[in-house]
Amino acid sequence: MATIFSTNKHTAFFGYYLTYEGFFSWFCYFVLFFLANLYFNSEKEVKKLFLILSIPVFIVSLFAIGEYFFGWQIMEFHQNRGDRVISFLGNPSFLGVYLVLLLPIFINFIRLKELKSKWRSYLIVLNLAAIFSLLATFSRGAWLGFCIAIIFLVLINFNFVKFIHCRCSLVNNKKAGIKLAPTLIVKWIIFFAVLIIGGWLLINNTVFGQQLVDRIKFSFIQNPATKVNTTSGRILLWEQTTNLIKDNFWFGVGPDNFAISIPKYFLPEWHLYFGLQAEKAHNEFLNLWATMGIGAMLSYLAILIYFFFKSISIGKNLQNDSRIILVQGILAGAIGYLVAMQFHYSTIDLAPLFWIFMGIAFSLAHQDCEIKSIQLHKFFSLTFVKYILSFAAIFLMCIMLIILIFSCKIIQADRLFIKGLQAENIDFAIENLEKAIEKNKTPIDYYVILSSFYFQKGVKTGEFSNFDKSIETLKKIIKIQPDNYRPYFILGNTYLEMASFAQNKNLVFQKAEQAFKKSLEFFPNSVDTRLSLGITYAEQEKFDQALTEFKKCGSINSKVVECYFNQGKIYEQKKDFQKAKEYYQKALEINSNIKAIKDALKILK
């Protein structure tokens, strides 16, 4: 229903160009959950799966360590995060969530009795490397998720101790139960003692430890320049999201339509947090409600509650200790993931793992229960059911193949895009960017950069046809995302820059005005758009309208020099020199190093 009533149906089905989590992706998540629950019902298979998955985790962790200490880089286009590592995942928060999902599984895996000593040693090294990598992401949401996951493991293991004690008593082996309980308790006490002492030494004796402390402080201490912190930024985004929800309570704005719809609800103070990405709500439940409505959010919540309570309660009654360890590890990873998701957001490269692990845990937990009854086995043994399941598996494999092909095209497109960005020759840059768009037609940035190169070529050669190509390229973005403020803003600025080369300047200014007004429909509190619209009015000598926009600009962000400087220029043209001087003085108070303001004041004196 959310897809049917969505504001942008293409985005609702295929997803936003940066996230790709539309209806199609959610459908695949549920299919993966179902297939994992159906086919991963052998404990031996699950162990093999996780040992195989440990290899990429180890590689990712080792590269993250190399990145922190030696500056290794493989994703230069994304790798500008200061001290925060990203490894192969393109974003430190994504890396943090990836490790949170898998680390509790491998930590709990060490407890398997049948595990050979070489594998246990390997997992210990892996866990240490992954924990350091997690810390080096400086992702506070991921840290919190990991802590909650470990606490869950501790609590559920104490419950497990009680269960073992009771079970041993029932089989007249009370001494074994009593002996086992203290052993596990001592192990956990030693683990936490080492953790606390190691943490204390790390914080007080290393630069890395101080960086961890500073990162935590940054959640609560205001940035001296902006007078805000990242916690207040997320709270503001959540507040803006609730306003969006009020207007789209039942069906939301459509799957993955958040980034397109939220700018309309940006409050004036949002300009202070432009470093915080708003592709999603940075809260899993709020984002689900905003995009798919109250029904989807409650259904998702009900599925999670049912899954965790059933898996925990049933897991206690399993008669295979190894299976208990596997279920506990997966549940802990899932809990850590969900905690982290309340401060980050779901991504197409991590969410499938979460749903697969949920399916596996559900399957393992129900192995010895009535749910996996004879009747259920009979049902799945029916011929028509086998055909349906086989068809579903083949369909999913075909989909995966299509996604793989599409992913290869995306990678090729990104390479061509970067090649175009780095090109010194304009024609060579245009050629690569056009090829990038042929392979992937959705990213806005491709069109924006291509448009700018066409514009540069127009300025260089004096051929007006290049300006036309620049405009047409931007209009293609509007066809793809008609509800996005950004293409209209860039189009307006392009018209504004193009006016100096046009014969009919008024016509070009009118087109710029229309583009800026359209942009403000989707982002009314944009300082940049208000400022540009004011300049457009001033160029057309619509001074009163220009003043209105500059005043709005100043009310949204009182620290923007251009808002006051442009008001001074307007009053100077209206011969109101006293007011002109007043606004120039205000601009000078914000930034005393701008020569143009000083020169304007000298003339008035």
Side-chain angles (χ1 to χ4, degrees):
M1 293 298 288
T3 305
I4 293 168
F5 291 106
S6 62
T7 53
N8 188 313
K9 289 179 175 54
H10 181 274
T11 301
F13 193 81
F14 293 104
Y16 187 60
Y17 83 99
L18 290 173
T19 50
Y20 298 107
E21 266 205 323
F23 169 82
F24 181 73
S25 296
W26 277 94
F27 172 76
C28 288
Y29 296 161
F30 287 118
V31 171
L32 286 170
F33 170 82
F34 174 75
L35 292 176
N37 176 255
L38 187 62
Y39 290 109
F40 280 99
N41 47 28
S42 165
E43 181 189 334
K44 190 176 179 181
E45 289 174 0
V46 174
K47 287 177 186 175
K48 282 182 181 178
L49 173 68
F50 284 120
L51 287 174
I52 291 168
L53 286 176
S54 73
I55 297 169
V57 173
F58 199 24
I59 294 169
V60 164
S61 300
L62 288 177
F63 192 89
I65 293 169
E67 184 183 343
Y68 181 81
F69 286 107
F70 309 112
W72 293 353
Q73 287 193 353
I74 199 169
M75 300 178 75
E76 292 89 350
F77 187 62
H78 298 276
Q79 217 146 349
N80 187 21
R81 305 280 180 171
D83 294 321
R84 302 182 70 185
V85 299
I86 65 170
S87 192
F88 303 108
L89 277 82
N91 185 295
S93 296
F94 299 167
L95 175 59
V97 172
Y98 171 70
L99 293 172
V100 164
L101 183 58
L102 286 156
L103 251 174
I105 297 170
F106 296 129
I107 288 172
N108 219 38
F109 219 86
I110 296 172
R111 294 173 50 215
L112 288 171
K113 293 175 183 177
E114 65 272 23
L115 201 65
K116 292 180 181 179
S117 57
K118 62 179 181 181
W119 279 109
R120 186 170 276 107
S121 301
Y122 161 72
L123 285 172
I124 290 169
V125 174
L126 165 69
N127 286 322
L128 291 173
I131 289 170
F132 181 86
S133 302
L134 175 62
L135 292 173
T137 64
F138 295 98
S139 174
R140 292 153 298 183
W143 292 349
L144 180 62
F146 180 65
C147 291
I148 299 294
I150 295 299
I151 290 169
F152 169 80
L153 280 178
V154 172
L155 293 176
I156 203 168
N157 269 285
F158 278 123
N159 273 335
F160 173 60
V161 168
K162 291 178 184 177
F163 160 68
I164 290 292
H165 182 275
C166 295
R167 198 175 74 187
C168 290
S169 300
L170 290 172
V171 294
N172 299 318
N173 195 9
K174 192 173 180 180
K175 289 182 180 179
I178 294 169
K179 186 179 179 182
L180 180 62
T183 304
L184 283 174
I185 292 169
V186 168
K187 283 181 180 179
W188 281 112
I189 290 171
I190 292 170
F191 172 76
F192 277 105
V194 171
L195 198 66
I196 292 166
I197 294 168
W200 185 82
L201 291 171
L202 182 73
I203 289 169
N204 287 281
N205 296 283
T206 65
V207 175
F208 180 64
Q210 193 56 49
Q211 287 174 332
L212 297 176
V213 174
D214 291 343
R215 182 65 178 165
I216 295 169
K217 284 181 180 177
F218 191 55
S219 302
F220 309 101
I221 298 173
Q222 291 183 341
N223 185 319
T226 60
K227 306 297 182 186
V228 297
N229 57 56
T230 54
T231 302
S232 59
R234 277 185 170 80
I235 291 170
L236 181 61
L237 181 57
W238 296 339
E239 182 184 345
Q240 292 166 163
T241 304
T242 56
N243 291 333
L244 187 153
I245 288 169
K246 287 174 186 176
D247 291 343
N248 303 274
F249 185 86
W250 296 106
F251 301 113
V253 293
D256 226 17
N257 271 266
F258 185 85
I260 297 170
S261 305
I262 193 62
K264 188 178 178 181
Y265 299 89
F266 281 159
L267 298 170
E269 56 268 36
W270 180 248
H271 69 273
L272 298 170
Y273 303 95
F274 257 38
L276 182 64
Q277 298 299 314
E279 282 92 10
K280 296 195 178 182
H282 284 254
N283 181 287
E284 183 81 337
F285 299 115
L286 279 178
N287 191 79
L288 205 64
W289 193 349
T291 55
M292 298 192 214
I294 182 68
M297 194 275 288
L298 291 177
S299 300
Y300 180 64
L301 197 58
I303 290 168
L304 292 177
I305 291 170
Y306 175 81
F307 166 74
F308 282 113
F309 275 97
K310 274 289 181 183
S311 295
I312 290 169
S313 61
I314 294 169
K316 290 177 185 177
N317 300 318
L318 290 175
Q319 296 182 17
N320 186 318
D321 294 352
S322 297
R323 203 177 299 156
I324 291 175
I325 289 169
L326 291 171
V327 172
Q328 286 176 352
I330 296 170
L331 287 177
I335 288 170
Y337 173 87
L338 288 169
V339 170
M341 284 299 99
Q342 305 321 303
F343 307 96
H344 300 305
Y345 50 83
S346 173
T347 60
I348 197 170
D349 45 356
L350 298 177
L353 283 176
F354 170 72
W355 288 100
I356 289 169
F357 293 171
M358 288 247 295
I360 292 170
F362 209 60
S363 176
L364 289 174
H366 287 73
Q367 284 292 302
D368 300 330
C369 302
E370 291 180 2
I371 296 175
K372 292 278 184 181
S373 63
I374 297 170
Q375 291 180 354
L376 192 62
H377 284 295
K378 282 182 179 179
F379 173 74
F380 283 122
S381 65
L382 293 173
T383 306
F384 81 93
V385 175
K386 286 183 177 179
Y387 281 129
I388 291 170
L389 294 176
S390 299
F391 175 77
I394 292 166
F395 173 75
L396 189 64
M397 284 190 285
C398 291
I399 294 300
M400 293 299 180
L401 183 62
I402 292 168
I403 291 170
L404 182 63
I405 294 167
F406 183 62
S407 299
C408 290
K409 279 193 166 187
I410 290 173
I411 293 167
Q412 289 173 353
D414 278 342
R415 284 180 178 173
L416 288 165
F417 174 64
I418 294 167
K419 204 173 177 181
L421 277 177
Q422 295 173 344
E424 295 180 4
N425 183 282
I426 291 178
D427 289 324
F428 184 69
I430 289 171
E431 181 186 344
N432 280 286
L433 288 164
E434 285 177 341
K435 286 179 180 177
I437 289 171
E438 281 178 18
K439 293 188 178 294
N440 188 2
K441 292 180 169 58
T442 52
I444 290 178
D445 293 333
Y446 290 9
Y447 294 93
V448 171
I449 301 298
L450 177 59
S451 172
S452 70
F453 276 121
Y454 274 130
F455 191 88
Q456 289 175 38
K457 190 176 179 181
V459 173
K460 189 175 180 180
T461 62
E463 295 175 4
F464 212 80
S465 60
N466 288 302
F467 294 126
D468 291 336
K469 286 179 181 178
S470 177
I471 296 297
E472 287 304 315
T473 302
L474 292 172
K475 286 181 177 178
K476 286 178 183 177
I477 310 175
I478 293 170
K479 286 181 181 178
I480 297 169
Q481 294 187 10
D483 302 323
N484 193 335
Y485 80 93
R486 191 177 163 215
Y488 296 104
F489 171 69
I490 297 168
L491 180 63
N493 270 336
T494 304
Y495 276 127
L496 203 57
E497 292 175 12
M498 199 172 78
S500 58
F501 302 95
Q503 292 180 342
N504 189 345
K505 288 182 170 52
N506 282 333
L507 179 62
V508 177
F509 284 132
Q510 285 171 16
K511 288 184 176 181
E513 181 186 329
Q514 290 169 5
F516 289 133
K517 284 180 176 178
K518 193 69 179 175
S519 179
L520 287 169
E521 288 180 18
F522 304 108
F523 187 2
N525 286 318
S526 170
V527 172
D528 293 332
T529 310
R530 294 275 176 202
L531 190 60
S532 296
L533 180 57
I535 292 168
T536 306
Y537 281 137
E539 293 288 352
Q540 298 174 83
E541 298 185 355
K542 297 178 181 179
F543 296 129
D544 290 336
Q545 289 167 287
L547 276 174
T548 301
E549 294 304 323
F550 293 140
K551 286 180 187 297
K552 285 179 181 177
C553 169
S555 66
I556 294 169
N557 186 355
S558 59
K559 299 296 182 182
V560 178
V561 175
E562 291 82 1
C563 297
Y564 301 103
F565 179 66
N566 282 302
Q567 286 182 70
K569 285 172 71 177
I570 295 293
Y571 281 119
E572 188 175 349
Q573 289 188 40
K574 293 179 78 172
K575 309 298 181 185
D576 190 342
F577 299 116
Q578 187 59 38
K579 277 199 172 182
K581 186 178 177 181
E582 180 186 330
Y583 280 100
Y584 284 145
Q585 197 63 50
K586 280 185 179 180
L588 199 64
E589 287 172 10
I590 297 169
N591 191 334
S592 59
N593 297 318
I594 299 176
K595 187 175 181 296
I597 303 173
K598 293 178 181 178
D599 292 342
L601 278 170
K602 281 181 184 177
I603 292 168
L604 291 179
K605 287 179 181 177

